[in-house]
Amino acid sequence: MNNNKKEQIEKGITQLIQNSDYDSLLATLELYDHDGLLNNDYAFAYKCYLLSYLIAQDLNNARFLWKRMLTMKLDDESRQLHQVLVGMWKRQPKDVHASLQWQWSSKLLPLITKCQSNYRQYIVALLSRAYSDIHLHNLSDMIGLSEDEAKAFVLEHEWTVSGDYMITSKSRQPTEDPSNLNQITKQA
């Protein structure tokens, strides 16, 4: 790839990142990849590509992209992204958040921030469906925030506090309409 084309691609990627247009970023990188515009000497595009898959929670495509990236000369930042992918793949939220706490380049930082935010939202939604309550310490570990930050974060998501336990919004919703139960009882 000539330097001029490489600079144009990087400029386009950077513009999409600055505009926080992550869906278009992924679509654009997939198009570049499909059209053969990305090659092994363009690590920045591949790191953005991998992060775009992680943001979209598309772990299968992220895994296959990583396997292709292994043919490249990988820098420390690429290897750290792999650790994020591994943590997500193994469903180890604490490892994901620990891997995201790294000295990222300024070009990737907006993508890292979005990835962490999306992953945190994903974990909170998962916890809401799986538990009626969770101890604050466990919640803190799962979403990668201090206990005070974790408490404030889930309170924004309509959870409530009961001592050291956070009660999910799901547990406060009635599962059956009481009038429906009366009708069922009368029929029996």
Side-chain angles (χ1 to χ4, degrees):
M1 177 183 306
N2 66 40
N3 281 340
N4 192 23
K5 188 67 168 174
K6 190 174 175 179
E7 287 173 14
Q8 287 177 348
I9 288 174
E10 184 171 341
K11 185 178 180 181
I13 291 170
T14 303
Q15 185 66 45
L16 290 169
I17 293 170
Q18 288 172 347
N19 293 340
S20 302
D21 192 354
Y22 303 110
D23 292 336
S24 294
L25 176 63
L26 179 56
T28 299
L29 288 165
E30 285 177 330
L31 183 64
Y32 288 164
D33 189 24
H34 180 266
D35 292 347
L37 297 175
L38 302 180
N39 62 29
N40 289 352
D41 71 339
Y42 199 30
F44 173 69
Y46 275 100
K47 288 186 270 189
C48 292
Y49 198 2
L50 183 59
L51 269 165
S52 294
Y53 278 133
L54 296 179
I55 288 168
Q57 296 287 318
D58 187 350
L59 300 184
N60 282 326
N61 277 325
R63 250 179 2 117
F64 291 120
L65 178 62
W66 174 254
K67 288 179 182 186
R68 290 186 14 232
M69 288 174 68
L70 289 174
T71 63
M72 301 169 42
K73 183 178 179 184
L74 298 173
D75 59 6
D76 290 341
E77 200 167 49
S78 297
R79 285 188 282 280
Q80 190 66 21
L81 281 174
H82 180 248
Q83 292 307 307
V84 175
L85 170 59
V86 167
M88 287 181 173
W89 186 258
K90 291 183 175 181
R91 299 176 189 219
Q92 299 294 324
K94 195 172 184 178
D95 293 347
V96 172
H97 293 294
S99 296
L100 287 168
Q101 299 303 317
W102 198 72
Q103 287 299 109
W104 300 100
S105 65
S106 60
K107 287 182 175 182
L108 287 185
L109 204 51
L111 290 170
I112 294 296
T113 302
K114 179 65 175 171
C115 181
Q116 190 166 37
S117 172
N118 279 17
Y119 189 70
R120 189 171 285 135
Q121 295 284 350
Y122 166 76
I123 292 298
V124 167
L126 192 64
L127 291 171
S128 292
R129 288 191 307 272
Y131 298 100
S132 57
D133 60 51
I134 185 169
H135 194 277
L136 184 57
H137 176 74
N138 295 337
L139 173 67
S140 173
D141 283 347
M142 296 287 284
I143 64 173
L145 295 172
S146 72
E147 289 186 9
D148 289 338
E149 291 169 328
K151 182 188 271 187
F153 186 79
V154 295
L155 286 174
E156 291 174 9
H157 290 81
E158 299 179 5
W159 289 27
T160 57
V161 179
S162 178
D164 286 339
Y165 285 86
M166 303 306 298
I167 300 172
T168 66
S169 54
K170 174 193 106 175
S171 64
R172 294 189 316 272
Q173 297 171 354
T175 55
E176 288 290 334
D177 181 7
S179 61
N180 235 1
L181 291 176
N182 287 336
Q183 290 176 355
I184 292 170
T185 305
K186 290 177 184 176
Q187 292 174 355

Short mmCIF file of all heavy atoms in Angstrom, two decimals, residues 46-92:
data_model
loop_
_atom_site.label_atom_id
_atom_site.label_comp_id
_atom_site.label_asym_id
_atom_site.label_seq_id
_atom_site.Cartn_x
_atom_site.Cartn_y
_atom_site.Cartn_z
N TYR A 46 -5.75 -2.15 11.90
CA TYR A 46 -6.13 -3.44 12.47
C TYR A 46 -6.50 -3.32 13.95
O TYR A 46 -7.42 -3.98 14.42
CB TYR A 46 -5.03 -4.48 12.26
CG TYR A 46 -5.13 -5.15 10.92
CD1 TYR A 46 -4.31 -4.75 9.87
CD2 TYR A 46 -6.06 -6.15 10.70
CE1 TYR A 46 -4.42 -5.36 8.62
CE2 TYR A 46 -6.17 -6.77 9.47
CZ TYR A 46 -5.35 -6.37 8.43
OH TYR A 46 -5.47 -6.97 7.21
N LYS A 47 -5.81 -2.48 14.68
CA LYS A 47 -6.17 -2.28 16.09
C LYS A 47 -7.56 -1.64 16.20
O LYS A 47 -8.37 -2.05 17.03
CB LYS A 47 -5.11 -1.43 16.81
CG LYS A 47 -3.81 -2.19 17.04
CD LYS A 47 -2.84 -1.40 17.88
CE LYS A 47 -1.95 -0.56 17.03
NZ LYS A 47 -0.84 0.06 17.79
N CYS A 48 -7.84 -0.67 15.34
CA CYS A 48 -9.17 -0.05 15.32
C CYS A 48 -10.22 -1.06 14.92
O CYS A 48 -11.33 -1.08 15.46
CB CYS A 48 -9.18 1.14 14.37
SG CYS A 48 -8.19 2.54 14.91
N TYR A 49 -9.88 -1.91 13.97
CA TYR A 49 -10.78 -2.94 13.47
C TYR A 49 -11.12 -3.91 14.61
O TYR A 49 -12.29 -4.21 14.86
CB TYR A 49 -10.06 -3.66 12.34
CG TYR A 49 -10.88 -4.48 11.38
CD1 TYR A 49 -12.26 -4.58 11.43
CD2 TYR A 49 -10.22 -5.17 10.36
CE1 TYR A 49 -12.97 -5.34 10.51
CE2 TYR A 49 -10.92 -5.93 9.44
CZ TYR A 49 -12.29 -6.02 9.52
OH TYR A 49 -12.98 -6.78 8.61
N LEU A 50 -10.11 -4.39 15.32
CA LEU A 50 -10.33 -5.30 16.44
C LEU A 50 -11.17 -4.63 17.53
O LEU A 50 -12.13 -5.22 18.04
CB LEU A 50 -9.00 -5.79 17.01
CG LEU A 50 -9.07 -6.80 18.15
CD1 LEU A 50 -9.80 -8.07 17.73
CD2 LEU A 50 -7.67 -7.14 18.63
N LEU A 51 -10.85 -3.40 17.86
CA LEU A 51 -11.62 -2.68 18.88
C LEU A 51 -13.06 -2.46 18.42
O LEU A 51 -13.98 -2.53 19.25
CB LEU A 51 -10.97 -1.33 19.18
CG LEU A 51 -9.96 -1.35 20.31
CD1 LEU A 51 -9.11 -0.09 20.31
CD2 LEU A 51 -10.65 -1.53 21.64
N SER A 52 -13.27 -2.23 17.14
CA SER A 52 -14.64 -2.06 16.63
C SER A 52 -15.46 -3.32 16.84
O SER A 52 -16.64 -3.25 17.21
CB SER A 52 -14.61 -1.68 15.15
OG SER A 52 -14.02 -0.42 14.97
N TYR A 53 -14.86 -4.47 16.62
CA TYR A 53 -15.56 -5.73 16.89
C TYR A 53 -15.84 -5.89 18.39
O TYR A 53 -16.90 -6.36 18.78
CB TYR A 53 -14.76 -6.92 16.38
CG TYR A 53 -14.93 -7.19 14.91
CD1 TYR A 53 -13.83 -7.44 14.10
CD2 TYR A 53 -16.20 -7.22 14.32
CE1 TYR A 53 -13.98 -7.71 12.75
CE2 TYR A 53 -16.35 -7.48 12.96
CZ TYR A 53 -15.24 -7.72 12.19
OH TYR A 53 -15.40 -7.99 10.85
N LEU A 54 -14.88 -5.50 19.23
CA LEU A 54 -15.09 -5.61 20.68
C LEU A 54 -16.20 -4.66 21.14
O LEU A 54 -17.02 -5.03 21.98
CB LEU A 54 -13.79 -5.33 21.43
CG LEU A 54 -12.66 -6.34 21.19
CD1 LEU A 54 -11.41 -5.92 21.98
CD2 LEU A 54 -13.07 -7.75 21.51
N ILE A 55 -16.24 -3.47 20.58
CA ILE A 55 -17.30 -2.50 20.91
C ILE A 55 -18.66 -3.09 20.53
O ILE A 55 -19.64 -2.96 21.26
CB ILE A 55 -17.05 -1.15 20.22
CG1 ILE A 55 -15.87 -0.43 20.88
CG2 ILE A 55 -18.30 -0.27 20.23
CD1 ILE A 55 -15.35 0.77 20.12
N ALA A 56 -18.71 -3.76 19.39
CA ALA A 56 -19.96 -4.34 18.89
C ALA A 56 -20.28 -5.68 19.58
O ALA A 56 -21.30 -6.28 19.28
CB ALA A 56 -19.89 -4.53 17.39
N GLN A 57 -19.41 -6.11 20.49
CA GLN A 57 -19.57 -7.41 21.17
C GLN A 57 -19.59 -8.56 20.16
O GLN A 57 -20.25 -9.58 20.40
CB GLN A 57 -20.83 -7.42 22.04
CG GLN A 57 -20.83 -6.45 23.19
CD GLN A 57 -19.90 -6.90 24.30
OE1 GLN A 57 -19.85 -8.06 24.66
NE2 GLN A 57 -19.15 -5.97 24.85
N ASP A 58 -18.90 -8.41 19.06
CA ASP A 58 -18.80 -9.45 18.04
C ASP A 58 -17.49 -10.21 18.26
O ASP A 58 -16.50 -10.01 17.55
CB ASP A 58 -18.87 -8.83 16.65
CG ASP A 58 -18.94 -9.87 15.54
OD1 ASP A 58 -18.75 -11.07 15.81
OD2 ASP A 58 -19.19 -9.46 14.38
N LEU A 59 -17.51 -11.10 19.24
CA LEU A 59 -16.29 -11.79 19.64
C LEU A 59 -15.83 -12.81 18.62
O LEU A 59 -14.62 -13.05 18.50
CB LEU A 59 -16.49 -12.44 21.02
CG LEU A 59 -16.83 -11.46 22.15
CD1 LEU A 59 -16.89 -12.21 23.48
CD2 LEU A 59 -15.85 -10.32 22.23
N ASN A 60 -16.74 -13.42 17.90
CA ASN A 60 -16.31 -14.39 16.88
C ASN A 60 -15.47 -13.72 15.80
O ASN A 60 -14.39 -14.19 15.46
CB ASN A 60 -17.51 -15.11 16.27
CG ASN A 60 -18.04 -16.18 17.17
OD1 ASN A 60 -17.29 -16.84 17.89
ND2 ASN A 60 -19.35 -16.38 17.17
N ASN A 61 -15.98 -12.62 15.25
CA ASN A 61 -15.21 -11.92 14.22
C ASN A 61 -13.92 -11.34 14.80
O ASN A 61 -12.90 -11.29 14.12
CB ASN A 61 -16.04 -10.85 13.54
CG ASN A 61 -16.91 -11.42 12.45
OD1 ASN A 61 -16.52 -12.36 11.76
ND2 ASN A 61 -18.11 -10.89 12.30
N ALA A 62 -13.96 -10.90 16.05
CA ALA A 62 -12.75 -10.38 16.69
C ALA A 62 -11.69 -11.49 16.80
O ALA A 62 -10.51 -11.25 16.54
CB ALA A 62 -13.08 -9.83 18.08
N ARG A 63 -12.12 -12.68 17.15
CA ARG A 63 -11.19 -13.81 17.27
C ARG A 63 -10.55 -14.14 15.93
O ARG A 63 -9.34 -14.35 15.84
CB ARG A 63 -11.95 -15.05 17.76
CG ARG A 63 -11.63 -15.47 19.13
CD ARG A 63 -12.41 -16.68 19.60
NE ARG A 63 -13.32 -17.29 18.65
CZ ARG A 63 -13.20 -18.53 18.19
NH1 ARG A 63 -12.23 -19.29 18.57
NH2 ARG A 63 -14.10 -19.00 17.35
N PHE A 64 -11.37 -14.19 14.87
CA PHE A 64 -10.83 -14.51 13.56
C PHE A 64 -9.92 -13.40 13.04
O PHE A 64 -8.91 -13.68 12.39
CB PHE A 64 -11.95 -14.83 12.57
CG PHE A 64 -12.64 -16.13 12.90
CD1 PHE A 64 -14.00 -16.15 13.18
CD2 PHE A 64 -11.93 -17.32 12.97
CE1 PHE A 64 -14.64 -17.34 13.51
CE2 PHE A 64 -12.55 -18.52 13.29
CZ PHE A 64 -13.91 -18.52 13.56
N LEU A 65 -10.26 -12.16 13.33
CA LEU A 65 -9.38 -11.06 12.94
C LEU A 65 -8.05 -11.18 13.69
O LEU A 65 -6.98 -10.98 13.10
CB LEU A 65 -10.04 -9.71 13.24
CG LEU A 65 -9.19 -8.48 12.92
CD1 LEU A 65 -8.87 -8.41 11.43
CD2 LEU A 65 -9.90 -7.22 13.38
N TRP A 66 -8.11 -11.51 14.97
CA TRP A 66 -6.88 -11.65 15.75
C TRP A 66 -5.98 -12.73 15.13
O TRP A 66 -4.76 -12.55 15.03
CB TRP A 66 -7.17 -12.00 17.21
CG TRP A 66 -5.91 -12.29 17.95
CD1 TRP A 66 -5.44 -13.50 18.36
CD2 TRP A 66 -4.90 -11.34 18.31
NE1 TRP A 66 -4.21 -13.37 18.95
CE2 TRP A 66 -3.86 -12.06 18.94
CE3 TRP A 66 -4.77 -9.97 18.16
CZ2 TRP A 66 -2.71 -11.44 19.42
CZ3 TRP A 66 -3.62 -9.34 18.64
CH2 TRP A 66 -2.62 -10.08 19.25
N LYS A 67 -6.57 -13.83 14.72
CA LYS A 67 -5.77 -14.90 14.11
C LYS A 67 -5.06 -14.40 12.85
O LYS A 67 -3.92 -14.79 12.59
CB LYS A 67 -6.65 -16.11 13.80
CG LYS A 67 -7.07 -16.85 15.05
CD LYS A 67 -7.95 -18.03 14.73
CE LYS A 67 -8.37 -18.71 16.02
NZ LYS A 67 -9.12 -19.95 15.77
N ARG A 68 -5.73 -13.54 12.09
CA ARG A 68 -5.08 -12.96 10.92
C ARG A 68 -3.99 -11.97 11.33
O ARG A 68 -2.98 -11.84 10.64
CB ARG A 68 -6.11 -12.28 10.03
CG ARG A 68 -7.00 -13.29 9.35
CD ARG A 68 -7.97 -12.73 8.33
NE ARG A 68 -7.77 -11.39 7.87
CZ ARG A 68 -8.73 -10.46 7.88
NH1 ARG A 68 -9.94 -10.74 8.34
NH2 ARG A 68 -8.48 -9.26 7.43
N MET A 69 -4.22 -11.28 12.44
CA MET A 69 -3.23 -10.29 12.90
C MET A 69 -1.94 -10.96 13.37
O MET A 69 -0.89 -10.33 13.40
CB MET A 69 -3.82 -9.43 14.03
CG MET A 69 -4.87 -8.45 13.56
SD MET A 69 -5.68 -7.57 14.94
CE MET A 69 -4.33 -6.57 15.56
N LEU A 70 -2.01 -12.23 13.71
CA LEU A 70 -0.81 -12.93 14.18
C LEU A 70 0.28 -13.00 13.12
O LEU A 70 1.45 -13.22 13.44
CB LEU A 70 -1.17 -14.34 14.67
CG LEU A 70 -1.96 -14.40 15.97
CD1 LEU A 70 -2.38 -15.82 16.28
CD2 LEU A 70 -1.16 -13.80 17.12
N THR A 71 -0.08 -12.80 11.86
CA THR A 71 0.92 -12.81 10.79
C THR A 71 1.67 -11.48 10.73
O THR A 71 2.66 -11.37 10.02
CB THR A 71 0.26 -13.08 9.42
OG1 THR A 71 -0.65 -12.02 9.13
CG2 THR A 71 -0.47 -14.42 9.42
N MET A 72 1.20 -10.49 11.48
CA MET A 72 1.82 -9.16 11.49
C MET A 72 2.87 -9.08 12.59
O MET A 72 2.89 -9.89 13.51
CB MET A 72 0.76 -8.08 11.78
CG MET A 72 -0.36 -8.02 10.80
SD MET A 72 -1.74 -6.97 11.34
CE MET A 72 -0.96 -5.55 12.03
N LYS A 73 3.70 -8.07 12.49
CA LYS A 73 4.60 -7.76 13.59
C LYS A 73 3.77 -7.00 14.62
O LYS A 73 3.32 -5.88 14.36
CB LYS A 73 5.77 -6.91 13.11
CG LYS A 73 6.77 -6.62 14.19
CD LYS A 73 7.94 -5.80 13.68
CE LYS A 73 8.88 -5.53 14.85
NZ LYS A 73 9.98 -4.67 14.42
N LEU A 74 3.52 -7.61 15.77
CA LEU A 74 2.62 -7.04 16.77
C LEU A 74 3.39 -6.20 17.78
O LEU A 74 4.45 -6.59 18.26
CB LEU A 74 1.88 -8.16 17.50
CG LEU A 74 0.98 -9.03 16.62
CD1 LEU A 74 0.44 -10.19 17.42
CD2 LEU A 74 -0.15 -8.20 16.05
N ASP A 75 2.81 -5.06 18.11
CA ASP A 75 3.39 -4.21 19.16
C ASP A 75 2.71 -4.53 20.49
O ASP A 75 1.78 -5.34 20.56
CB ASP A 75 3.27 -2.73 18.80
CG ASP A 75 1.84 -2.27 18.59
OD1 ASP A 75 0.89 -3.05 18.83
OD2 ASP A 75 1.65 -1.11 18.17
N ASP A 76 3.18 -3.90 21.56
CA ASP A 76 2.62 -4.15 22.89
C ASP A 76 1.14 -3.80 22.97
O ASP A 76 0.37 -4.48 23.64
CB ASP A 76 3.39 -3.34 23.95
CG ASP A 76 4.79 -3.87 24.17
OD1 ASP A 76 5.06 -5.03 23.80
OD2 ASP A 76 5.63 -3.11 24.70
N GLU A 77 0.74 -2.75 22.28
CA GLU A 77 -0.65 -2.33 22.30
C GLU A 77 -1.55 -3.40 21.67
O GLU A 77 -2.63 -3.70 22.19
CB GLU A 77 -0.79 -1.00 21.56
CG GLU A 77 -2.03 -0.23 21.90
CD GLU A 77 -1.96 1.19 21.38
OE1 GLU A 77 -1.63 1.40 20.19
OE2 GLU A 77 -2.26 2.10 22.17
N SER A 78 -1.09 -4.00 20.58
CA SER A 78 -1.86 -5.08 19.94
C SER A 78 -1.98 -6.27 20.87
O SER A 78 -3.05 -6.87 20.99
CB SER A 78 -1.18 -5.51 18.64
OG SER A 78 -1.15 -4.47 17.71
N ARG A 79 -0.90 -6.62 21.54
CA ARG A 79 -0.94 -7.75 22.48
C ARG A 79 -1.87 -7.45 23.66
O ARG A 79 -2.56 -8.34 24.16
CB ARG A 79 0.47 -8.11 22.95
CG ARG A 79 1.27 -8.85 21.88
CD ARG A 79 2.59 -9.38 22.40
NE ARG A 79 3.60 -8.35 22.49
CZ ARG A 79 4.33 -7.90 21.46
NH1 ARG A 79 4.14 -8.39 20.26
NH2 ARG A 79 5.22 -6.97 21.63
N GLN A 80 -1.92 -6.21 24.09
CA GLN A 80 -2.82 -5.82 25.18
C GLN A 80 -4.28 -5.92 24.72
O GLN A 80 -5.15 -6.34 25.49
CB GLN A 80 -2.50 -4.42 25.68
CG GLN A 80 -3.22 -4.03 26.94
CD GLN A 80 -2.79 -4.85 28.15
OE1 GLN A 80 -1.72 -5.45 28.18
NE2 GLN A 80 -3.63 -4.88 29.16
N LEU A 81 -4.55 -5.54 23.49
CA LEU A 81 -5.90 -5.70 22.94
C LEU A 81 -6.30 -7.17 22.93
O LEU A 81 -7.45 -7.51 23.18
CB LEU A 81 -5.98 -5.14 21.52
CG LEU A 81 -6.10 -3.64 21.39
CD1 LEU A 81 -6.02 -3.22 19.93
CD2 LEU A 81 -7.38 -3.14 22.02
N HIS A 82 -5.34 -8.02 22.65
CA HIS A 82 -5.61 -9.46 22.68
C HIS A 82 -6.02 -9.89 24.08
O HIS A 82 -6.92 -10.72 24.24
CB HIS A 82 -4.40 -10.25 22.20
CG HIS A 82 -4.64 -11.73 22.21
ND1 HIS A 82 -4.00 -12.57 23.08
CD2 HIS A 82 -5.49 -12.48 21.49
CE1 HIS A 82 -4.44 -13.79 22.88
NE2 HIS A 82 -5.34 -13.78 21.93
N GLN A 83 -5.41 -9.32 25.10
CA GLN A 83 -5.78 -9.66 26.48
C GLN A 83 -7.22 -9.24 26.78
O GLN A 83 -7.94 -9.93 27.50
CB GLN A 83 -4.81 -9.02 27.48
CG GLN A 83 -3.41 -9.60 27.42
CD GLN A 83 -3.43 -11.11 27.57
OE1 GLN A 83 -4.00 -11.66 28.51
NE2 GLN A 83 -2.81 -11.79 26.62
N VAL A 84 -7.64 -8.11 26.23
CA VAL A 84 -9.04 -7.68 26.39
C VAL A 84 -9.96 -8.71 25.73
O VAL A 84 -10.94 -9.15 26.33
CB VAL A 84 -9.27 -6.28 25.78
CG1 VAL A 84 -10.74 -5.89 25.84
CG2 VAL A 84 -8.40 -5.23 26.49
N LEU A 85 -9.62 -9.10 24.51
CA LEU A 85 -10.40 -10.11 23.79
C LEU A 85 -10.47 -11.42 24.56
O LEU A 85 -11.54 -12.01 24.71
CB LEU A 85 -9.82 -10.33 22.39
CG LEU A 85 -10.38 -11.51 21.58
CD1 LEU A 85 -11.87 -11.38 21.36
CD2 LEU A 85 -9.64 -11.64 20.26
N VAL A 86 -9.35 -11.87 25.08
CA VAL A 86 -9.31 -13.13 25.84
C VAL A 86 -10.22 -13.04 27.06
O VAL A 86 -10.99 -13.96 27.34
CB VAL A 86 -7.87 -13.49 26.25
CG1 VAL A 86 -7.83 -14.61 27.28
CG2 VAL A 86 -7.05 -13.87 25.03
N GLY A 87 -10.17 -11.93 27.79
CA GLY A 87 -11.02 -11.75 28.95
C GLY A 87 -12.50 -11.78 28.59
O GLY A 87 -13.31 -12.40 29.29
N MET A 88 -12.85 -11.13 27.48
CA MET A 88 -14.24 -11.15 27.03
C MET A 88 -14.65 -12.55 26.61
O MET A 88 -15.74 -13.02 26.95
CB MET A 88 -14.46 -10.16 25.87
CG MET A 88 -14.45 -8.73 26.28
SD MET A 88 -14.74 -7.70 24.81
CE MET A 88 -14.91 -6.09 25.56
N TRP A 89 -13.78 -13.22 25.86
CA TRP A 89 -14.08 -14.57 25.38
C TRP A 89 -14.28 -15.54 26.54
O TRP A 89 -15.17 -16.38 26.51
CB TRP A 89 -12.97 -15.05 24.45
CG TRP A 89 -13.31 -16.36 23.82
CD1 TRP A 89 -12.85 -17.59 24.19
CD2 TRP A 89 -14.20 -16.58 22.73
NE1 TRP A 89 -13.40 -18.56 23.40
CE2 TRP A 89 -14.24 -17.97 22.49
CE3 TRP A 89 -14.97 -15.75 21.93
CZ2 TRP A 89 -15.01 -18.53 21.48
CZ3 TRP A 89 -15.74 -16.32 20.94
CH2 TRP A 89 -15.75 -17.68 20.72
N LYS A 90 -13.45 -15.42 27.56
CA LYS A 90 -13.54 -16.32 28.72
C LYS A 90 -14.57 -15.86 29.74
O LYS A 90 -14.73 -16.48 30.78
CB LYS A 90 -12.17 -16.44 29.39
CG LYS A 90 -11.16 -17.18 28.56
CD LYS A 90 -9.85 -17.35 29.30
CE LYS A 90 -8.88 -18.20 28.53
NZ LYS A 90 -7.62 -18.39 29.27
N ARG A 91 -15.22 -14.75 29.46
CA ARG A 91 -16.24 -14.18 30.35
C ARG A 91 -15.68 -13.90 31.75
O ARG A 91 -16.26 -14.30 32.75
CB ARG A 91 -17.47 -15.09 30.40
CG ARG A 91 -18.09 -15.22 29.03
CD ARG A 91 -19.23 -16.18 29.01
NE ARG A 91 -19.61 -16.39 27.62
CZ ARG A 91 -20.85 -16.50 27.22
NH1 ARG A 91 -21.83 -16.42 28.07
NH2 ARG A 91 -21.10 -16.68 25.96
N GLN A 92 -14.59 -13.17 31.74
CA GLN A 92 -13.91 -12.77 32.97
C GLN A 92 -13.89 -11.24 33.05
O GLN A 92 -12.90 -10.61 32.70
CB GLN A 92 -12.47 -13.32 32.99
CG GLN A 92 -12.37 -14.83 32.95
CD GLN A 92 -12.93 -15.46 34.20
OE1 GLN A 92 -12.80 -14.93 35.30
NE2 GLN A 92 -13.57 -16.60 34.05
#
